[in-house]
Amino acid sequence: MDTIDLRSDTVSHPTAAMREAMAKAELGDDVFHDDPTVNQLEADAAAMLGKEAAVFVTSGTQGNLCALLAHCQRGESIIIGDTSHIFVNEQGGMAQIGGLIPHTAPVQADATMRLDDLEKAVNPDDEHKPVTRLVSLENTHNMAGGVPISAEYTAAVGDFARRNGLILHIDGARIFNAAAAYGVDVKALVADADSVTFCLSKGLCAPVGSVLVGGRDFIRRARRARKALGGSLRQAGVLAAAGLIALHEMTDRLIEDHQNAQLLAEGLSEVPGVRIRSQNTNFIIFSVAPDNELTLDEFVRELRQEYNILMSPYAGEAGVIRLRTHYWIDRRAIAKVVSAVRATLS
Ligand SMILES: *Cc1c(COP(=O)(O)O)cnc(C)c1O
């Protein structure tokens, strides 16, 4: 029986086309800038996001940290969402390795931070305070439940950044999901950003890797940071080959994952005992009625044992399950999940 793995879009494995491209990729030593496939990926990624240059990194975490290290000096402060991935789920690398001080602003349910909260987070020119250097957005917002943020809001934050002499970084791990949700070219969502990280490995199905894009000088500094973090790779073209397919063939189909997530949410909402908390882009968050005989852990275990369906309770909030659709979840799988959940709860 095929596994239906809804725990995350990170579980998506490479497509047959990716494996073939990986096997045939032209390679070189990327530390000498000699890998043609990596060079192609970086050039194409920069062009697609409308930036001058790009650097291939091992993960989104590494891309974000390279960005912060390249933009900021030790002892400086960055403004960041209190539920942002960089603040909550990247081991505090910015402080641990970069010596940076996070100044958090509350993230609202719509994944934005209020502009007046951002204004309040900018330190005055006062010798008691760290210098505020940068503001970071996250699109789509993971802990908000995959909520996309608009080009208009991003432009407003871009304005705020310019007025205050700040750099704008976007953690765009799922920026192509945001572009699909708004039906816009991804360039429109990052036009105001000085740098953007995005993941090739989530909904885009590549096995490994993220890309950091920005200005040419910035990317040169980011490459130095990547080296210090041990992220300079050799024949990385085997990975970049999958990344090229991710970029060119997988971005335009993300809307299918969103439609499937919507379909799944609709199906689950009709099952007695299920309450859909939210459905945005490829995310679904739901709870199971507390008067049900099963605990959440038992519910998850039964789906795994009886139906080979994988879900996991959401670490970010007690009592809820968070699902993410991806390339390997089709309509047939959705129908199976709905009937399995119905059978499990009846
Ligand atoms: C997944 C993710 C990252 C990066 O994660 P890695 O596992 O290091 O690739 C960064 N930001 C957000 C919002 C994410 O969802």
Side-chain angles (χ1 to χ4, degrees):
M1 190 163 45
D2 284 347
T3 303
I4 299 176
D5 195 343
L6 288 158
R7 290 172 301 170
S8 178
D9 48 9
T10 58
V11 303
S12 63
H13 44 94
T15 64
M18 285 178 178
R19 285 177 182 267
E20 197 185 327
M22 292 169 80
K24 292 181 177 162
E26 263 191 80
L27 305 176
D29 186 335
D30 184 48
V31 175
F32 296 150
H33 301 273
D34 258 1
D35 189 301
T37 313
V38 172
N39 292 343
Q40 184 77 51
L41 174 67
E42 291 176 346
D44 290 6
M48 261 176 95
L49 277 84
K51 303 296 175 196
E52 286 176 355
V55 58
F56 180 62
V57 287
T58 56
S59 66
T61 299
Q62 189 180 67
N64 285 329
L65 185 53
C66 285
L68 297 180
L69 292 173
H71 282 312
C72 308
Q73 300 293 318
R74 295 184 73 80
E76 292 181 337
S77 175
I78 67 170
I79 304 172
I80 189 149
D82 60 349
T83 57
S84 67
H85 196 275
I86 292 179
F87 182 60
V88 177
N89 280 325
E90 297 184 9
Q91 262 251 350
M94 70 179 116
Q96 193 180 157
I97 295 165
L100 301 173
I101 298 110
H103 193 138
T104 59
V107 173
Q108 309 299 318
D110 68 357
T112 68
M113 295 174 280
R114 295 200 177 106
L115 290 171
D116 56 337
D117 286 333
L118 296 181
E119 296 283 355
K120 272 186 270 174
V122 181
N123 286 331
D125 182 11
D126 171 335
E127 67 187 52
H128 298 85
K129 314 279 186 195
V131 171
T132 307
R133 182 64 64 202
L134 176 144
V135 57
S136 181
L137 293 178
E138 183 172 316
N139 198 10
T140 65
H141 201 287
N142 190 334
M143 284 187 76
V147 177
I149 56 176
S150 68
E152 291 71 26
Y153 174 75
T154 306
V157 174
D159 252 10
F160 153 80
R162 274 186 296 276
R163 260 188 288 113
N164 289 282
L166 304 180
I167 292 157
L168 173 57
H169 173 69
I170 297 180
D171 174 3
R174 295 185 182 79
I175 194 78
F176 287 100
N177 291 90
Y182 282 108
V184 298
D185 188 316
V186 70
K187 286 188 193 79
L189 295 177
V190 302
D192 288 273
D194 297 288
S195 57
V196 186
T197 308
F198 70 91
C199 292
L200 298 164
S201 60
K202 294 178 175 171
L204 301 183
C205 276
V208 176
S210 293
V211 183
L212 172 61
V213 303
R216 206 162 278 121
D217 289 343
F218 160 75
I219 291 296
R220 201 170 301 128
R221 294 194 304 277
R223 283 184 190 280
R224 296 183 73 89
R226 183 185 69 162
K227 179 67 186 173
L229 296 173
S232 293
L233 302 174
R234 301 295 180 178
Q235 286 74 32
V238 288
L239 301 173
L244 278 165
I245 293 180
L247 204 56
H248 294 297
E249 293 175 29
M250 304 302 276
T251 49
D252 282 345
R253 60 153 302 285
L254 289 172
I255 195 71
E256 286 175 40
D257 295 342
H258 300 182
Q259 287 159 353
N260 284 337
Q262 203 178 348
L263 204 65
L264 181 52
E266 281 163 16
L268 290 177
S269 72
E270 285 162 16
V271 176
V274 169
R275 193 163 80 80
I276 300 295
R277 300 278 294 266
S278 69
Q279 192 279 304
N280 296 285
T281 58
N282 65 326
F283 284 54
I284 299 160
I285 297 176
F286 73 97
S287 58
V288 175
D291 58 347
N292 199 280
E293 283 160 28
L294 294 176
T295 66
L296 211 58
D297 286 333
E298 288 165 343
F299 170 73
V300 165
R301 197 176 318 129
E302 190 160 328
L303 285 172
R304 181 190 279 263
Q305 283 169 357
E306 300 296 319
Y307 303 97
N308 215 4
I309 292 171
L310 308 190
M311 299 185 178
S312 50
Y314 177 36
E317 186 185 345
V320 306
I321 291 177
R322 182 179 62 176
L323 309 180
R324 283 170 284 196
T325 57
H326 52 81
Y327 179 79
W328 298 99
I329 304 293
D330 59 13
R331 288 189 164 224
R332 234 185 55 224
I334 302 258
K336 273 194 200 166
V337 172
V338 173
S339 62
V341 168
R342 187 182 293 278
T344 303
L345 292 180
S346 67

